[in-house]
Amino acid sequence: MASPDIDSSAMSSHIETLTWSKAALAEEVNPVDALPVPEAPTCSLVSNSCNIPKPPPLPSKISTRSKCLGRPLECSFVSKETTHTWDKLFKDGYGADVCIVTEGRSCVPAHSIVLRIASPVLGSIIEQSKVKHGMRYIKILGVPNDAVRVFLRFLYSSRYEEEELKKFVLHLLVLSHAYSVPQLKRVCISLLEQGWLNSENVIDVLQLARSCDAPRLAFVCIRMVVKDFKSVSSTEGWKVMKRANPALEQELVESVVEADSRKQERQRKIEEKKVYLQLYEAMEALLHICKDGCRTIGPRDKVLKGNQVTCNFPACKGLEALVRHFSGCKTRVPGGCSHCKRMWQLLELHSRMCSEPDSCKVPLCRHFKEKIQQQCKKDETKWKLLVSKVIAAKNAVGPLSSRRSGLL
């Protein structure tokens, strides 16, 4: 036996609140009992010795009582005996004055006062129905008789069997929406969202969710379709929807295409950030080689460490080979050799990122600083964009090393 926590006192709270009287409420919130009001002290203007009363105590228990009165649902308690009584009233049908006609001309007895309170729609239908032999007759067709019984039982006691809820969850969702029972509707939506959906029924549930004004459930269904489109598009539900509602099919296909586009865009940005991060690592390795030296290459005044020592700069090995090629290449003009062209670009990128060109150990750093003044505005914009993206990629990953005294 299961019952939703938020609705366990739905029916009992309605009945219990009718027994509250105005006198009882007035007694609960009597301001005289809440805070003692001191009398005004009578002291003369001449004499300074007047009896000043003590201030009233701070509210403690009184504040909790007032909070309970403002929100009676938090202070209410519905026992199992009470819910059992409402269950018994529905099952026995004692004193019933309404007959619910279901599929197969079955009749479920009910009480008009309970239906009016639990569902404003049923209350309106009862008002419009005619009395025949002391009974009012209401039709609830299109759903199984057992689903109607589960629905009516929930109106009485807010209780249901888990197996019955799982079996008739779609019918109950329709009934709760049609007859304006939001508590049951929330229970059905929660069950559908928590593991009940699969590739076979997701299309049917999606269409039902939109008809029953359940946007969150519809979003969950669309997300499942996008995630497993290949399996969903091969089901019978998809084929029926394709014939009956081609607009929905077009919408779902567009959602899948849009999701794939976003995925490709995210992948492209990830790869782009990797390239910019590699460029920054190359800048660090270049500064490391020209300032401190690394293994077999470096300044003349530095003692090289040899190949046995492991370098902490990941781009140092590849850059070391590029520097050796650049120093010995016979066609070292920009555009003449692809390797040399890459080296020229790295040198210029370093110059644009270097904050100390006068004392920088990297070759041609100051030369490129002077060359920047002569470049056209279009090239200058491209280089500034590249520098900003390289620095942004570095900041996104975090500090790579502590050797950055010459970089921005």
Side-chain angles (χ1 to χ4, degrees):
M1 190 74 66
S3 176
D5 296 335
I6 58 176
D7 304 320
S8 61
S9 60
M11 294 306 302
S12 60
S13 62
H14 283 295
I15 303 303
E16 290 176 2
T17 50
L18 294 176
T19 62
W20 292 354
S21 63
K22 294 184 178 179
L25 290 176
E27 184 179 356
E28 288 282 354
V29 293
N30 191 353
V32 178
D33 297 334
L35 291 175
V37 181
E39 296 181 358
T42 57
C43 58
S44 63
L45 297 176
V46 179
S47 176
N48 293 329
S49 59
C50 59
N51 296 325
I52 300 176
K54 294 182 180 180
L58 295 175
S60 55
K61 296 182 179 180
I62 305 300
S63 61
T64 58
R65 288 176 62 192
S66 61
K67 288 182 180 179
C68 267
L69 290 174
R71 292 178 290 179
L73 288 178
E74 295 185 2
C75 304
S76 63
F77 172 75
V78 181
S79 63
K80 293 183 178 180
E81 290 77 9
T82 302
T83 56
H84 177 72
T85 300
W86 284 104
D87 258 349
K88 184 175 176 54
L89 178 63
F90 166 67
K91 293 177 181 179
D92 294 347
Y94 179 77
D97 57 350
V98 177
C99 180
I100 309 295
V101 180
T102 63
E103 290 291 334
R105 294 190 172 273
S106 299
C107 181
V108 182
H111 301 80
S112 60
I113 183 63
V114 177
L115 301 183
R116 292 172 193 266
I117 295 174
S119 170
V121 178
L122 285 176
S124 178
I125 295 175
I126 291 173
E127 288 290 339
Q128 298 174 10
S129 62
K130 296 181 180 180
V131 180
K132 296 181 181 180
H133 306 291
M135 295 286 289
R136 297 177 183 269
Y137 292 86
I138 300 175
K139 293 182 180 180
I140 300 182
L141 306 177
V143 294
N145 176 68
D146 291 340
V148 177
R149 294 190 66 87
V150 175
F151 171 70
L152 293 175
R153 181 191 179 193
F154 188 91
L155 298 184
Y156 275 77
S157 61
S158 296
R159 301 177 74 180
Y160 55 86
E161 300 290 342
E162 290 187 6
E163 294 182 359
E164 292 179 339
L165 180 66
K166 293 179 180 179
K167 183 178 180 180
F168 302 112
V169 60
L170 297 181
H171 303 95
L172 294 174
L173 176 61
V174 174
L175 290 172
S176 62
H177 174 72
Y179 295 103
S180 186
V181 185
Q183 301 92 334
L184 179 58
K185 187 175 181 179
R186 286 193 292 267
V187 172
C188 295
I189 291 175
S190 177
L191 175 63
L192 291 171
E193 290 178 354
Q194 297 174 3
W196 195 87
L197 292 174
N198 55 53
S199 59
E200 295 293 332
N201 60 23
V202 65
I203 296 297
D204 297 331
V205 176
L206 172 59
Q207 297 179 87
L208 192 61
R210 291 194 168 183
S211 301
C212 296
D213 191 22
R216 175 182 168 83
L217 178 59
F219 174 77
V220 172
C221 293
I222 293 176
R223 188 171 59 181
M224 176 176 286
V225 172
V226 171
K227 186 177 180 180
D228 194 15
F229 180 73
K230 187 176 181 180
S231 300
V232 174
S233 60
S234 62
T235 60
E236 188 65 27
W238 178 274
K239 296 176 183 177
V240 174
M241 179 270 297
K242 185 177 180 180
R243 295 191 299 267
N245 193 353
L248 179 58
E249 180 205 10
Q250 180 67 22
E251 179 184 347
L252 293 176
V253 171
E254 290 177 357
S255 299
V256 173
V257 173
E258 184 180 355
D260 289 341
S261 300
R262 288 197 301 265
K263 184 178 180 180
Q264 293 176 4
E265 181 65 17
R266 286 195 300 268
Q267 190 64 31
R268 185 189 66 80
K269 289 183 178 181
I270 292 174
E271 296 298 329
E272 188 179 80
K273 287 182 179 180
K274 287 182 181 179
V275 173
Y276 294 138
L277 186 59
Q278 290 173 358
L279 285 175
Y280 188 82
E281 291 175 350
M283 294 300 98
E284 280 200 321
L286 179 63
L287 184 63
H288 162 65
I289 290 174
C290 297
K291 186 177 181 179
D292 301 328
C294 180
R295 294 186 297 190
T296 61
I297 189 171
R300 295 180 179 180
D301 57 343
K302 297 291 183 178
V303 179
L304 303 180
K305 301 177 182 179
N307 290 324
Q308 279 77 21
V309 180
T310 303
C311 182
N312 294 326
F313 292 83
C316 191
K317 186 175 181 180
L319 190 61
E320 181 180 342
L322 186 62
V323 170
R324 288 189 180 279
H325 169 83
F326 182 75
S327 62
C329 184
K330 297 180 180 180
T331 58
R332 200 192 304 165
V333 294
C337 174
S338 60
H339 299 291
C340 293
K341 181 180 179 181
R342 190 178 304 144
M343 189 65 200
W344 282 111
Q345 292 172 342
L346 291 176
L347 290 172
E348 184 171 356
L349 179 60
H350 164 80
S351 176
R352 290 178 175 274
M353 298 179 65
C354 183
S355 59
E356 301 173 355
D358 296 332
S359 59
C360 183
K361 300 294 184 180
V362 178
L364 304 176
C365 181
R366 188 173 181 179
H367 165 74
F368 279 109
K369 285 287 186 183
E370 297 173 354
K371 183 182 176 183
I372 291 173
Q373 307 298 329
Q374 305 174 1
Q375 282 187 337
C376 64
K377 189 175 181 180
K378 184 177 180 181
D379 292 339
E380 180 68 15
T381 303
K382 291 181 179 180
W383 277 105
K384 284 185 177 179
L385 181 61
L386 177 61
V387 170
S388 65
K389 289 190 175 183
V390 170
I391 295 177
K394 177 262 299 185
N395 293 335
V397 176
L400 297 176
S401 72
S402 58
R403 310 278 303 272
R404 295 207 175 100
S405 58
L407 296 178
L408 289 175

